[in-house]
Amino acid sequence: KQEVTQIPAALSVPEGENLVLNCSFTDSAIYNLQWFRQDPGKGLTSLLLIQSSQREQTSGRLNASLDKSSGRSTLYIAASQPGDSATYLCAVMDSNYQLIWGAGTKLIIKP
Amino acid sequence: SAVISQKPSRDICQRGTSLTIQCQVDSQVTMMFWYRQQPGQSLTLIATANQGSEATYESGFVIDKFPISRPNLTFSTLTVSNMSPEDSSIYLCSALAGLSYEQYFGPGTRLTVT
């Protein structure tokens, strides 16, 4: 059974720092991996999607990597800003096109 | 991409009543899902909404409690029946779109049951 783990559960850093959020999964047979952002009381915004055949994806200050063989993905945020404060969720898609979710990393960027 | 809207955005309901949540996608999609997110928790999949057939429910969720309709490729409804305070959650609709099977989410419906 696929399990997804996100570390750390919470992170607080000063504005301007570069940071890395980690996601690990137990079964490498995934269709893709997505990183989402969720603001308090709101829905989810898709940040990056990495297909199982890809190694990384970039969007602006965000870079996500995927190492399927080791069951790991990282989300790198460059030059963090207070507006980046949110919960970041990692999810892997299985062969039934269902997403298996991590518990999320709550990120606080201090001005 | 896909843009998903949900109605209502929030509601406060009395115990024992039912609420139907609507989900509209701006393009035809093959798969739609309904999730629940309880306070401070990650998302839990309730069911996959199948067009033209009965929804596929995950363990712990039953049709009598969460009836789902999907009359076409852009619309679905979730009803939360005979509500209790334990049903207080955010309910999220999502859809798979595009060749990359990226999943998009609606803004959610915040339900409070008193």
Side-chain angles (χ1 to χ4, degrees):
Chain A
K1 178 186 171 185
Q2 179 74 271
E3 293 183 358
V4 180
T5 303
Q6 289 188 246
I7 295 173
L11 182 63
S12 179
V13 300
E15 179 179 5
E17 283 199 7
N18 304 323
L19 55 98
V20 174
L21 308 182
N22 296 292
C23 173
S24 62
F25 47 95
T26 55
D27 186 348
S28 62
I30 64 172
Y31 192 87
N32 62 37
L33 183 146
Q34 275 187 262
W35 283 93
F36 294 88
R37 167 186 174 139
Q38 186 173 32
D39 294 284
K42 300 293 178 66
L44 278 74
T45 302
S46 178
L47 297 174
L48 289 164
L49 177 144
I50 311 177
Q51 299 290 357
S52 63
S53 59
Q54 296 175 324
R55 299 281 293 182
E56 67 176 344
Q57 285 287 335
T58 297
S59 176
R61 294 183 293 108
L62 305 180
N63 175 277
S65 68
L66 174 64
D67 183 342
K68 207 170 66 163
S69 61
S70 67
R72 294 176 188 273
S73 176
T74 62
L75 178 66
Y76 175 82
I77 302 177
S80 58
Q81 304 170 358
D84 295 330
S85 298
T87 296
Y88 289 80
L89 292 159
C90 164
V92 298
M93 181 173 286
D94 65 16
S95 57
N96 295 317
Y97 307 113
Q98 291 187 355
L99 288 179
I100 315 300
W101 295 87
T105 295
K106 184 174 182 179
L107 177 63
I108 296 174
I109 307 299
K110 297 175 287 187
Chain B
S1 65
V3 177
I4 302 176
S5 58
Q6 282 184 237
K7 287 194 300 187
S9 59
R10 58 175 62 221
D11 208 340
I12 301 173
C13 301
Q14 289 194 338
R15 180 195 298 260
T17 63
S18 298
L19 176 72
T20 296
I21 303 168
Q22 298 180 4
C23 176
Q24 180 74 55
V25 189
D26 69 342
S27 58
Q28 292 187 345
V29 293
T30 51
M31 302 183 78
M32 295 180 71
F33 304 92
W34 287 97
Y35 288 87
R36 182 172 74 181
Q37 187 176 32
Q38 294 181 305
Q41 307 278 325
S42 190
L43 282 75
T44 301
L45 180 64
I46 297 172
T48 301
N50 301 310
Q51 194 267 329
S53 64
E54 199 168 277
T56 304
Y57 289 84
E58 296 301 304
S59 175
F61 297 96
V62 295
I63 188 172
D64 290 345
K65 175 67 175 176
F66 298 101
I68 289 170
S69 77
R70 189 172 173 199
N72 56 51
L73 292 176
T74 65
F75 185 78
S76 178
T77 66
L78 167 74
T79 299
V80 186
S81 302
N82 188 24
M83 288 184 283
S84 66
E86 292 72 35
D87 295 320
S88 297
S89 288
I90 297 175
Y91 291 85
L92 294 147
C93 168
S94 74
L96 282 184
L99 297 175
S100 60
Y101 285 89
E102 187 164 358
Q103 192 154 129
Y104 296 88
F105 282 81
T109 296
R110 181 182 288 274
L111 171 62
T112 302
V113 183
T114 60

